[in-house]
Amino acid sequence: MVSLDLLSSFDGMIWLQSGKKVGEIFEQHQTTISRNQKKCAQIFGIKLQKIGNHWQPKEDSLLLQLERMVHQMARLQGKSSLRLDANRWLDHSLLNPPPSGWIVSSTKNFSDSHSLECLEQRIVDAWLCPLRALPVEANHLIEIELSSKEDIGVVVLQEYANHQCILNLTSMLKQTSSAEQIKQ
């Protein structure tokens, strides 16, 4: 088992693609981020490499996936902040202020496929995205509509769709969305 800091540094680089952003979000110095992600990769026998401008693991590791499951369960139990990938809605009024208990961020200029991959790998716990952004065969995911007017929804792993943290998030975002629509 690896510490929260080690896995957050490693997964943060994959999710956010910036040591500076990872440091801001997880409140760590950039040198600590670098050291932590290297140590984490070493523990799992893999390497984090930069291809073009994209950080990604060189190999896959079943042990890493299992560790991510443990860490996600700990986040869902309130032992650490949950993670919401906000993709193109980072500055949206839905997230101002950010939901309590959630870290909200996004990779700059990345595709829906990157956000979807981070969700499927349990690097993030929810993804704020365009409605109907899911591939048809993604029956292990649930899309929860927040606002049909703005074409926004939250996608989560199906197994956690009814978890209280997810229900609270979607309820809060729906209320904020409804309030915004009334103002307009």
Side-chain angles (χ1 to χ4, degrees):
M1 185 145 176
V2 297
S3 73
L4 179 63
D5 287 344
L6 289 181
L7 192 57
S8 293
S9 296
F10 184 84
D11 282 347
M13 288 300 291
I14 295 169
W15 174 30
L16 303 170
Q17 297 291 310
S18 160
K20 181 179 180 185
K21 233 177 165 178
V22 174
E24 291 169 3
I25 296 287
F26 295 107
E27 299 176 354
Q28 298 176 357
H29 193 273
Q30 279 185 283
T31 56
T32 303
I33 297 291
S34 179
R35 190 171 44 253
N36 283 349
Q37 66 89 8
K38 286 177 185 171
K39 187 173 182 181
C40 186
Q42 183 180 26
I43 289 169
F44 293 112
I46 59 177
K47 290 185 180 194
L48 190 62
Q49 64 183 4
K50 194 167 192 174
I51 298 176
N53 289 330
H54 190 151
W55 285 101
Q56 59 187 19
K58 187 174 180 180
E59 300 91 11
D60 196 15
S61 167
L62 176 59
L63 188 56
L64 173 60
Q65 289 306 316
L66 293 171
E67 189 72 20
R68 284 176 172 156
M69 290 175 76
V70 169
H71 282 248
Q72 184 177 43
M73 187 53 67
R75 291 192 302 269
L76 287 164
Q77 292 173 352
K79 295 179 178 159
S80 180
S81 295
L82 291 152
R83 302 171 186 168
L84 173 64
D85 188 314
N87 209 339
R88 14 183 118 69
W89 287 280
L90 197 53
D91 296 324
H92 194 281
S93 58
L94 277 175
L95 303 172
N96 189 9
S100 178
W102 287 80
I103 293 171
V104 179
S105 196
S106 179
T107 301
K108 186 176 180 181
N109 299 325
F110 254 78
S111 65
D112 289 342
S113 63
H114 177 74
S115 297
L116 181 59
E117 187 177 305
C118 287
L119 179 66
E120 290 176 322
Q121 292 181 358
R122 301 168 190 269
I123 294 170
V124 299
D125 306 298
W127 169 35
L128 189 65
C129 67
L131 293 174
R132 289 161 290 290
L134 290 180
V136 176
E137 68 278 358
N139 51 354
H140 61 291
L141 302 171
I142 296 289
E143 189 174 61
I144 304 161
E145 182 178 312
L146 298 177
S147 168
S148 58
K149 180 181 177 187
E150 293 188 82
D151 194 41
I152 299 176
V154 170
V155 177
V156 297
L157 293 172
Q158 185 175 13
E159 64 194 275
Y160 298 124
N162 292 316
H163 193 283
Q164 194 59 51
C165 295
I166 302 299
L167 295 173
N168 291 346
L169 172 71
T170 56
S171 175
M172 189 276 306
L173 292 174
K174 284 179 182 180
Q175 288 174 359
T176 304
S177 177
S178 294
E180 286 298 315
Q181 288 177 16
I182 291 170
K183 286 182 186 177
Q184 296 172 1

